[in-house]
Amino acid sequence: MLNDIESVLVDEKQIDNITTEIAEQITKDYANSGKKLVLICILKGSITFTCDLMKKIPFPIEIDFMKVSSYGAGTSSAGVINIHLDIKREDLTDVDFIVVEDIIDSGRTLSHLVKYLSERGANSVKTCTLLDKPERRVVDFTPDYCGVEIPDKFVVGYGLDYNEQYRNLPFVGILKPEVYGG
Ligand code: IMP
Ligand code: MG
């Protein structure tokens, strides 16, 4: 598995600092909001980030899950958003959502989800991502909380996959292009 990694882009220490910093910002912004805060973990890629982030938030929150795809197999975006698993809640008007993503590429997934949850009546919807590839943007979208901007390279690890592999690496690394024929 490690042989397929060109270089480490974000190591465990950096990830730890990022989750601490974002958790502090979220705490400042929501600790006294008076509404329920729900982190929506976007399966499968953001499980690791959501777990680490939520442990550093020191006030009551809930978590929920959605499964969405914009990518087909491989490394290029399909451009269509499919919701495979949706939240089942009746209390959206009482909820501040933060949608937690592993990475933003075209921006389609998160801009679609913000619109979708807002239209269903959420009190508020913000977005949080560990990684952002701003060069790849197709739709105009800026996350509210962002760990680190990265260059236009295909990365894996810490939840991110290539064809379902590499999610269990503890760091984010650049995948060697020969692995995906790039
Ligand atoms: P967007 O809708 O184009 O912003 O796509 C975001 C989704 O694409 C992420 O949740 C990932 O599943 C996937 N993705 C984008 N870039 C990468 C990458 O470098 N490695 C792994 N998955 C990626
Ligand atoms: Mg994803």
Side-chain angles (χ1 to χ4, degrees):
M1 184 165 64
L2 284 173
N3 286 341
D4 296 341
I5 303 302
E6 192 171 277
S7 60
V8 175
L9 192 62
V10 191
D11 67 24
E12 289 178 76
K13 182 71 203 145
Q14 288 170 289
I15 291 172
D16 189 53
N17 290 339
I18 287 169
T19 52
T20 299
E21 227 168 80
I22 295 181
E24 282 173 5
Q25 288 173 27
I26 289 174
T27 302
K28 261 190 217 138
D29 294 346
Y30 290 91
N32 302 307
S33 75
K35 296 276 180 184
K36 281 182 231 176
L37 178 59
V38 177
L39 304 186
I40 301 187
C41 170
I42 304 301
L43 297 171
K44 302 174 188 170
S46 81
I47 52 160
T48 333
F49 181 41
T50 305
C51 286
D52 284 347
L53 184 65
M54 72 175 182
K55 285 185 282 182
K56 294 180 178 176
I57 298 177
F59 63 95
I61 61 163
E62 294 180 22
I63 58 167
D64 225 321
F65 297 91
M66 290 182 79
K67 190 166 195 294
V68 183
S69 68
S70 69
Y71 266 30
T75 62
S76 68
S77 177
V80 181
I81 310 299
N82 292 304
I83 296 180
H84 304 283
L85 174 73
D86 204 346
I87 49 166
K88 293 184 179 63
R89 324 183 54 109
E90 306 293 322
D91 60 350
L92 273 78
T93 52
D94 292 324
V95 174
D96 291 322
F97 288 103
I98 300 179
V99 183
V100 182
E101 255 288 34
D102 48 2
I103 187 164
I104 305 179
D105 186 78
S106 71
R108 285 193 189 101
T109 304
L110 280 183
S111 62
H112 180 82
L113 288 179
V114 169
K115 189 163 171 277
Y116 176 73
L117 292 167
S118 304
E119 283 174 1
R120 281 179 64 182
N123 184 61
S124 73
V125 186
K126 283 194 184 182
T127 57
C128 174
T129 188
L130 175 68
L131 309 168
D132 189 3
K133 291 189 207 171
E135 286 170 53
R136 298 265 306 169
R137 210 62 104 247
V138 171
V139 298
D140 186 21
F141 184 83
T142 309
D144 298 287
Y145 305 97
C146 176
V148 59
E149 292 190 356
I150 64 167
D152 180 11
K153 303 272 185 192
F154 195 81
V155 294
V156 294
Y158 195 70
L160 291 110
D161 75 308
Y162 170 65
N163 286 350
E164 298 299 330
Q165 295 296 303
Y166 309 101
R167 295 192 196 275
N168 53 322
L169 289 171
F171 56 80
V172 176
I174 298 173
L175 190 62
K176 286 181 181 167
E178 58 260 38
V179 175
Y180 55 86

